[in-house]
Amino acid sequence: MGSEKVTAFLQEHWYIVSAIVGVVLLIGAICNWNWLCDPTGAPHSHRYGHGSRRVIFFLLGILLIVVSIWGFVLSLK
């Protein structure tokens, strides 16, 4: 499969990638994955602590899942 076909598939079915990323963020925030939630060395780490980053990634995951469901429903029409 060429890169043009992959790009065309992803442009047509962007909601699949959005749902996968949303699920990974949601599970990562729930399971408290260090690579996702640890603020050490991150820019603005003094502003957002571990708990704040978990909440932000949890909400971002939910938002991505909702947007991907919305895109899937619109693609059915």
Side-chain angles (χ1 to χ4, degrees), residues 24-57:
V24 167
L25 288 177
L26 192 66
I27 292 172
I30 291 170
C31 293
N32 198 14
W33 289 343
N34 280 334
W35 64 269
L36 183 66
C37 300
D38 189 21
T40 306
H44 308 292
S45 63
H46 61 281
R47 281 191 215 164
Y48 304 110
H50 192 78
S52 299
R53 290 173 64 93
R54 283 185 71 189
V55 170
I56 291 169
F57 285 125

Side-chain angles (χ1 to χ4, degrees), residues 42-75:
H44 308 292
S45 63
H46 61 281
R47 281 191 215 164
Y48 304 110
H50 192 78
S52 299
R53 290 173 64 93
R54 283 185 71 189
V55 170
I56 291 169
F57 285 125
F58 181 81
L59 294 175
L60 181 62
I62 289 176
L63 179 69
L64 284 173
I65 291 169
V66 167
V67 168
S68 66
I69 291 171
W70 177 54
F72 177 70
V73 169
L74 288 179
S75 72

